[in-house]
Amino acid sequence: MKTSTLVLMASGVLVASIASFSVNESIGAETEDKKVLSKAQMEKFSKVSDIVLDKCMACHSRDYDLPFYAKIPGIKEIIEKDFNDGLRAMDLNLELVGVAKDKPVSEATLAKMEWVIKNETMPPAKFTAVHWGSKVTAEDKKLILEWVAENRAKYYATGLASPEHANEPLQPLPDKIPYDANKVALGEKLFKDKRLSSDNTVACESCHAFDKAGTDNSRFSTGVDKQVGDINAPTVFNAAFNVRQFWNGRAADLQEQAGGPPLNPIEMASKNWNDIINKLQQDEALTAEVKSVYTDGWTEKNITDAIGEYEKTLITPNSRFDKWLKGDKNALTAEEIQGYERFKQYRCSSCHVGKAIGGQSFEYMDLKKDYFADRGEPLGSDIGLKGFTNKDIDLHRFKVPTLRNVELTWPYMHDGTVQTLDEAVKIMGTYLSGMDIPESDRKLIVAFLRTLTGEWNGEKVKGTPVQK
């Protein structure tokens, strides 16, 4: 009997999983692809491809054959639920033959594979009890962890961490990334220019204030005519590192993101770019600057390009945690280091990963428990990634926010309902990690999160720290 058939015999084996797949594995991918994966297609898994094919793919791929007993009432419902839960947690078919086939394995996927192997949660005990040969051996474990480290070092490490911290799932932020200084100077002016809005009252910085860590510390931002949306404004700091932009990933990059709010009817509410340009081109000095940077002058493309280029400078390195990662053993207290270890223990570092400590994947807010039913008050924004991809499988998936400067970027979650870091940690444990995090451990994790406040333009990021 095939492994892909055998896997469905055990109840509950598909719920806990390797990882939630990233947006690059979903957007534009053909989720109905039924092709059998070959080892050639598994090349990105290199030396661990045999392990992945034999012990992972059956639970985390759409290429499966239901067993004969899948039609038996009672068993049928269990099998269908377990299989669907497994696919929500990870669909390796998309990771390997979808849009990510020509890209490195995602940073979040590496972190999640590392976590389940280190914690020996995959394959699940119920499955290995039935299928004895499916257990990950010591040699399997060694190969997978080596492969994770190699890929992390090759594709994602910033090269700034000290040797003892080089393979951490979290990486130090670089001081800067390449940018065009002339475009940045223009983009800064446009970022602060209220003429991008229909009534000249709202600028980009209105919702992304630099004295509030790149946010507005409101549940929902207020646009022209005091209109209010239904999704929390994320920080603009470190957005350059996001795999895509907006909570639902509808913008591919910073430039595309910059083009959204000016024409959004409840944000800046301009009717079209011609209206915006007609106002801006009356400014002779600014028009001269635009023409010195862009030979074709005022265009939508040039405006959004300049703003996006400016946002590349909004990076906040040199947090105390960065300094610790770089080798300063005195940068963190013993309690804060314990908090970081708890952060990893409870799977937080599987999603909040990399140099931005987030922004690398899209996750289900209701992966382990129904967050939306428990919260109540349905919002249009709850649809998440599905609002962009129009795929049912993307319902309730959201881009993981960066945790950089998180003590200053309250309130939390896409719905802005969470007012404290303690509550945020508790919610993440319940609904995403599937773990009840006790108060003592939450206190340690919060202590660690407060070490993530960095610097901008050589000064500590400004804002009001959340109280708890």
Side-chain angles (χ1 to χ4, degrees):
M1 186 179 293
K2 294 182 180 179
T3 303
S4 57
T5 299
L6 289 171
V7 70
L8 298 171
M9 294 178 63
S11 171
V13 301
L14 301 173
V15 180
S17 141
I18 290 178
S20 295
F21 49 88
S22 74
V23 67
N24 281 337
E25 300 153 4
S26 176
I27 292 179
E30 292 298 328
T31 58
E32 306 305 322
D33 192 344
K34 296 292 184 179
K35 292 185 295 184
V36 176
L37 295 173
S38 67
K39 287 190 178 181
Q41 291 169 318
M42 298 286 290
E43 183 62 30
K44 65 173 61 182
F45 281 91
S46 185
K47 61 187 178 184
V48 301
S49 60
D50 287 340
I51 304 170
V52 173
L53 279 168
D54 187 45
K55 300 178 180 181
C56 305
M57 287 302 301
C59 298
H60 302 286
S61 170
R62 295 176 186 276
D63 304 315
Y64 64 96
D65 296 317
L66 287 175
F68 69 90
Y69 49 81
K71 297 180 180 180
I72 300 175
I75 296 178
K76 177 178 181 293
E77 289 74 19
I78 293 173
I79 289 175
E80 288 180 348
K81 182 183 185 303
D82 286 350
F83 186 78
N84 288 330
D85 286 348
L87 285 176
R88 290 181 86 234
M90 179 64 177
D91 188 339
L92 279 173
N93 195 46
L94 292 180
E95 167 68 15
L96 300 175
V97 299
V99 294
K101 64 181 178 181
D102 297 321
K103 301 176 182 179
V105 176
S106 74
E107 193 167 12
T109 296
L110 292 174
K112 293 181 176 84
M113 291 183 73
E114 179 181 56
W115 192 92
V116 298
I117 292 302
K118 282 187 173 181
N119 290 274
E120 300 182 346
T121 62
M122 286 288 116
K126 288 182 179 179
F127 180 61
T128 57
V130 177
H131 310 293
W132 304 313
S134 65
K135 188 172 182 179
V136 174
T137 66
E139 180 62 18
D140 291 340
K141 182 176 180 179
K142 177 176 179 293
L143 288 172
I144 290 173
L145 293 179
E146 286 178 352
W147 170 78
V148 168
E150 289 168 3
N151 278 268
R152 181 177 287 147
K154 182 176 181 179
Y155 298 110
Y156 301 112
T158 59
L160 300 172
S162 60
E164 65 267 35
H165 299 314
N167 190 40
E168 292 291 338
L170 278 56
Q171 294 284 312
L173 270 178
D175 290 336
K176 63 180 180 179
I177 58 177
Y179 59 81
D180 183 310
N182 292 325
K183 289 182 179 181
V184 166
L186 173 62
E188 180 177 8
K189 294 182 178 69
L190 294 171
F191 188 88
K192 299 176 179 180
D193 201 321
K194 295 182 178 180
R195 288 174 294 187
L196 269 66
S197 64
S198 61
D199 61 359
N200 304 324
T201 63
V202 178
C204 300
E205 67 173 357
S206 300
C207 302
H208 302 287
F210 297 130
D211 60 350
K212 296 179 181 178
T215 71
D216 59 5
N217 291 142
S218 298
R219 182 186 181 192
F220 302 134
S221 300
T222 301
V224 300
D225 296 328
K226 297 183 179 181
Q227 297 181 92
V228 178
D230 67 351
I231 197 163
N232 183 254
T235 179
V236 71
F237 280 127
N238 306 303
F241 301 114
N242 289 337
V243 66
R244 293 184 70 90
Q245 304 299 327
F246 293 115
W247 284 98
N248 67 0
R250 65 186 182 273
D253 52 31
L254 292 172
Q255 179 180 5
E256 188 174 347
Q257 185 279 329
L263 303 188
N264 188 306
I266 62 172
E267 293 183 30
M268 295 182 173
S270 289
K271 292 182 179 179
N272 52 60
W273 282 99
N274 285 335
D275 283 358
I276 295 173
I277 290 171
N278 287 337
K279 289 190 290 183
L280 293 176
Q281 65 186 5
Q282 295 177 34
D283 187 325
E284 294 183 2
L286 191 60
T287 297
E289 183 174 357
V290 169
K291 290 182 177 179
S292 71
V293 178
Y294 300 99
T295 57
D296 54 345
W298 288 112
T299 67
E300 170 193 351
K301 179 181 178 181
N302 294 342
I303 293 171
T304 57
D305 181 63
I307 293 174
E309 196 72 9
Y310 170 60
E311 290 181 353
K312 292 180 182 178
T313 70
L314 305 181
I315 297 173
T316 62
N318 298 321
S319 69
R320 289 197 292 119
F321 180 64
D322 285 319
K323 294 175 182 178
W324 181 80
L325 286 175
K326 293 176 182 180
D328 183 351
K329 298 183 184 301
N330 298 316
L332 300 185
T333 67
E335 180 187 40
E336 290 162 348
I337 293 173
Q338 289 180 53
Y340 177 48
E341 293 304 317
R342 297 296 192 280
F343 182 83
K344 292 188 288 185
Q345 174 187 335
Y346 288 105
R347 299 190 185 184
C348 308
S349 61
S350 293
C351 299
H352 294 284
V353 67
K355 49 187 171 289
I357 317 182
Q360 304 310 301
S361 65
F362 284 62
E363 311 291 346
Y364 289 99
M365 190 63 194
D366 57 354
L367 184 62
K368 300 295 183 179
K369 190 179 178 184
D370 195 338
Y371 170 81
F372 301 95
D374 290 348
R375 184 203 64 193
E377 187 197 357
L379 298 171
S381 61
D382 289 344
I383 193 173
L385 184 60
K386 182 184 176 182
F388 172 53
T389 67
N390 201 32
K391 297 175 182 178
D392 290 339
I393 196 171
D394 289 328
L395 179 66
H396 295 160
R397 288 179 70 198
F398 298 88
K399 187 184 67 186
V400 176
T402 176
L403 294 183
R404 294 283 177 180
N405 313 303
V406 70
E407 68 171 338
L408 309 176
T409 58
W410 48 271
Y412 307 111
M413 311 301 166
H414 76 282
D415 54 22
T417 58
V418 179
Q419 299 295 320
T420 69
L421 285 172
D422 177 77
E423 185 182 1
V425 172
K426 185 177 181 179
I427 285 175
M428 289 293 98
T430 299
Y431 295 98
L432 275 84
S433 295
M435 302 182 190
D436 181 17
I437 306 178
E439 183 178 3
S440 58
D441 284 349
R442 296 201 306 271
K443 181 178 179 181
L444 291 171
I445 293 173
V446 168
F448 158 67
L449 293 175
R450 292 184 184 277
T451 73
L452 301 179
T453 302
E455 298 175 355
W456 181 53
N457 289 339
E459 298 182 358
K460 187 175 181 179
V461 174
K462 296 179 181 179
T464 302
V466 68
Q467 292 303 304
K468 183 180 178 183

